[in-house]
Amino acid sequence: DTWLDEANPLLSHGEDVTLRAGENASSARQHILLDFDIDPNLNPLLVTSAILVFDFEEARGVPTVISLARLDVQNLGVNEDWVDETANWETYDGVTPWPGGAGAFGDVDPEEPVYDFLVGNTGNVKLFIVDLVKDAIENHGGRLSLVVYKSLPSGNESQSAYASRETIKGFQPR
């Protein structure tokens, strides 16, 4: 997992424990990339609940809507993948430009749902992503790569910082 920073487009944040999303005071956007490996042998019909929780740490500015969608990693090329340690606003691996343009949001899968939520306010964010998990199992070998993005800056500071962690079976997220 990592986050991308339009204000520092060549800086990677793969080692950061905090993920930032939204827009800073100078209207530079921040996007989050998440990657999950789901057992491809699971029966997708048995998946009845899948909750992605963004564990709130800090908010700045005014609330505004951002989006979460499946990142279409097939756009990156055969056997290619984004690299959390080196991905940045301009490149998916520290070298190769994002095919859909800087910030990765041009590589959103147009066939999958988009989930909108607020940043710039307090509290955890819980998204119910059963459809995305089922699609990962059925069509992507269990790979679920997500991007949290803001397509266009609004000109207002509006950002939140989150710590993400995976939950194991049998434990409910907070």
Side-chain angles (χ1 to χ4, degrees):
D1 304 340
T2 190
W3 64 282
L4 313 175
D5 187 6
E6 189 175 29
N8 298 289
L10 299 178
L11 185 63
S12 66
H13 297 278
E15 298 296 321
D16 290 8
V17 295
T18 301
L19 303 172
R20 299 188 181 281
E23 182 176 344
N24 70 18
S26 65
S27 297
R29 295 164 292 170
Q30 294 136 347
H31 296 169
I32 296 173
L33 297 178
L34 302 169
D35 203 34
F36 299 94
D37 291 318
I38 302 164
D39 184 349
N41 298 313
L42 284 175
N43 180 345
L45 298 175
L46 299 178
V47 177
T48 59
S49 179
I51 303 169
L52 177 63
V53 177
F54 288 97
D55 196 13
F56 174 78
E57 289 192 348
E58 160 185 76
R60 292 184 185 158
V62 298
T64 189
V65 174
I66 63 170
S67 303
L68 173 129
R70 191 177 85 74
L71 187 63
D72 192 358
V73 293
Q74 284 75 17
N75 281 352
L76 304 182
V78 177
N79 297 321
E80 294 292 316
D81 197 1
W82 63 272
V83 181
D84 59 353
E85 293 89 5
T86 56
N88 59 51
W89 187 264
E90 298 291 331
T91 70
Y92 64 83
D93 59 2
V95 177
T96 314
W98 289 100
F105 65 93
D107 294 299
V108 165
D109 187 337
E111 304 297 318
E112 294 301 318
V114 173
Y115 301 80
D116 293 332
F117 62 97
L118 289 176
V119 293
N121 61 338
T122 60
N124 291 353
V125 174
K126 291 182 182 181
L127 301 174
F128 298 88
I129 59 169
V130 171
D131 293 341
L132 291 172
V133 170
K134 287 182 176 184
D135 176 66
I137 296 166
E138 293 172 336
N139 301 311
H140 304 286
R143 172 86 186 282
L144 180 56
S145 201
L146 302 172
V147 59
V148 175
Y149 66 98
K150 188 170 187 180
S151 299
L152 297 170
S154 63
N156 295 314
E157 180 177 30
S158 178
Q159 65 178 226
S160 291
Y162 304 99
S164 73
R165 60 178 169 259
E166 294 180 35
T167 315
I168 57 175
K169 184 177 179 181
F171 291 90
Q172 290 292 321
R174 306 190 263 150

